[in-house]
Amino acid sequence: MNKTISKIAVLTSGGDSPGMNAAIRSVVRSCAYHRIDCVGIFRGYQGMIEGDFKEMNARSVNHIINKGGTILKSARSKDFMTKEGRLKAFYQLKNHNVDAFVVIGGDGSFTGAMVFNKEFDFPIIGIPGTIDNDIYGTNFTLGYDTALNTAVEAIDKIRDTASSHNRLFFVEVMGRDVGHIALNVGVGAGAEEILIPEEDLGLDRLLDSLKKSRKSGKTSSIVVVAEGDKTGDNVFELAKYIEEHMPTYEVRVSVLGHMQRGGSPSCFDRVLASRMGVKAIETLLDGKSNYMIGIKDNKMILTPLDMAIKGETEIDAELIQVSDIMTT
Ligand code: F6P
């Protein structure tokens, strides 16, 4: 890529996550530092198609580092999945003299960016913003650390009422098709059982394990269930099955849901976002495109976007071993 970059756009796309605002702030201030103009695009690719742009400068991003959500809003755009929609987006970018864009989002957002780049040879850089931590090429995605802490605090509260009433709680956490949130939150909250899509230990094993816990004197238990887990049809069916087979146990269900997507980002996520934004702008100014910014062993790295999209993350086998031992 040998074009001069004098104006960069930034947008957020897909499910929001805590830390997105910190990343927007870093991109905008990095542009200001390098004397590059910056424009914010509202509502993801849909706003790009509709020309929902706003010039931004270092002061536009005051006091947002600690705010959850995204000041640029986010959306999933069906129009951007069409060539016609992407062409409109391209003309909007050209009309606003935009030379490159940074998209903060998940693999779906990166896929759209890749298609766009192939069609228009338009420079793009991706920053992984999703609570799921399911993107290849980085140890951490933006929002994951905050979501873990939000979920652990919620489960600590559920533990209070579970132990007061000698109840068994099934707590469903987010994570789409992977179990990173469930596994880490389960260990962190001291859950008696953790069900993740990467393991299929079956209903009988779960029932036996809960019966053993009961026999060993546990009067209440917490089972953390990843939303993508396939042990039962869903967390409510799972709870019903256990209640039918352990009639002496009162069973309740709590689905944490979208609270895991909100809240003020943790310091870790704010620092990660700040580092990723700086690296994204440096990468574009180095004449590079089609990369995702990631962190590995605390170093900023670049992963080709098509690898980030196609690659898969692995569940932490050592942490599964830890959770097995902790539930003795
Ligand atoms: O990808 C982030 C995520 O929160 C997933 O964990 C969850 O399954 C999904 O988004 C929910 O999507 P929506 O915001 O469209 O309900």
Side-chain angles (χ1 to χ4, degrees):
M1 182 185 71
N2 53 13
K3 64 194 316 176
T4 52
I5 302 269
S6 56
K7 190 173 202 177
I8 294 172
V10 58
L11 65 147
T12 47
S13 171
D16 68 314
S17 71
M20 280 190 166
N21 278 326
I24 293 165
R25 171 179 178 272
S26 178
V27 166
V28 173
R29 293 210 171 152
S30 300
C31 285
Y33 177 83
H34 291 286
R35 305 239 185 290
I36 300 280
D37 291 337
C38 187
V39 61
I41 300 177
F42 287 89
R43 297 176 295 113
Y45 293 123
Q46 194 58 37
M48 192 186 284
I49 292 169
E50 296 170 7
D52 196 355
F53 293 24
K54 183 183 169 200
E55 302 293 329
M56 298 184 84
N57 60 40
R59 301 288 63 83
S60 314
V61 288
N62 285 351
H63 313 309
I64 68 167
I65 191 169
N66 61 329
K67 299 255 181 305
T70 160
I71 60 168
L72 293 179
K73 311 273 182 204
S74 182
R76 295 184 169 97
S77 170
K78 285 199 171 50
D79 295 344
F80 199 76
M81 292 177 182
T82 67
K83 172 106 189 199
E84 185 199 354
R86 292 190 293 271
L87 193 57
K88 282 181 189 163
F90 177 69
Y91 285 134
Q92 291 287 5
L93 292 169
K94 299 315 281 176
N95 293 342
H96 286 81
N97 303 312
V98 174
D99 303 309
F101 70 73
V102 175
V103 54
I104 305 164
D107 47 6
S109 306
F110 294 167
T111 302
M114 276 300 295
V115 171
F116 189 81
N117 169 269
K118 283 199 171 49
E119 285 172 348
F120 303 106
D121 188 25
F122 197 89
I124 46 138
I125 293 292
I127 289 180
T130 170
I131 66 167
D132 301 338
N133 207 39
D134 60 347
I135 299 183
Y136 177 85
T138 186
N139 291 146
F140 302 103
T141 56
L142 279 185
Y144 175 59
D145 181 65
T146 305
L148 293 184
N149 288 301
T150 299
V152 157
E153 280 166 34
I155 295 172
D156 285 351
K157 292 180 169 70
I158 292 171
R159 170 85 62 189
D160 290 343
T161 180
S163 53
S164 302
H165 288 267
N166 292 344
R167 283 173 170 167
L168 162 60
F169 266 84
F170 283 82
V171 182
E172 183 188 270
V173 296
M174 282 188 161
R176 206 179 286 274
D177 308 325
V178 299
H180 302 306
I181 294 177
L183 180 56
N184 283 269
V185 160
V187 172
E192 280 66 28
E193 296 292 337
I194 304 168
L195 303 182
I196 56 177
E198 294 84 352
E199 286 191 310
D200 181 4
L201 302 175
L203 272 169
D204 294 341
R205 187 216 56 88
L206 174 63
L207 189 55
D208 287 348
S209 178
L210 288 170
K211 283 180 175 172
K212 276 199 197 104
S213 295
R214 195 98 161 120
K215 272 206 190 96
S216 72
K218 276 192 179 285
T219 54
S220 65
S221 285
I222 302 267
V223 179
V224 172
V225 186
E227 64 176 336
D229 176 67
K230 299 280 178 288
T231 308
D233 292 341
N234 59 59
V235 66
F236 296 97
E237 286 302 314
L238 207 48
K240 190 160 158 271
Y241 175 86
I242 298 297
E243 194 158 42
E244 283 163 2
H245 291 78
M246 293 181 79
T248 58
Y249 231 157
E250 268 196 286
V251 180
R252 292 290 187 274
V253 173
S254 185
V255 176
L256 298 190
H258 285 70
M259 75 155 87
Q260 298 161 94
R261 288 256 288 271
S264 177
S266 63
C267 185
F268 179 86
D269 275 331
R270 298 180 198 191
V271 171
L272 180 61
S274 302
R275 295 176 69 182
M276 286 183 162
V278 167
K279 187 68 180 175
I281 301 308
E282 286 173 351
T283 303
L284 283 170
L285 297 182
D286 284 350
K288 297 193 186 92
S289 174
N290 295 18
Y291 285 100
M292 180 193 80
I293 308 298
I295 185 167
K296 280 257 166 108
D297 306 327
N298 199 30
K299 292 267 179 297
M300 289 290 113
I301 63 162
L302 301 181
T303 301
L305 219 40
D306 56 348
M307 279 176 67
I309 293 164
K310 283 189 221 115
E312 295 203 344
T313 58
E314 281 184 15
I315 199 74
D316 186 336
E318 182 262 340
L319 192 54
I320 289 178
Q321 172 68 0
V322 168
S323 76
D324 290 344
I325 294 169
M326 290 301 104
T327 51
T328 303

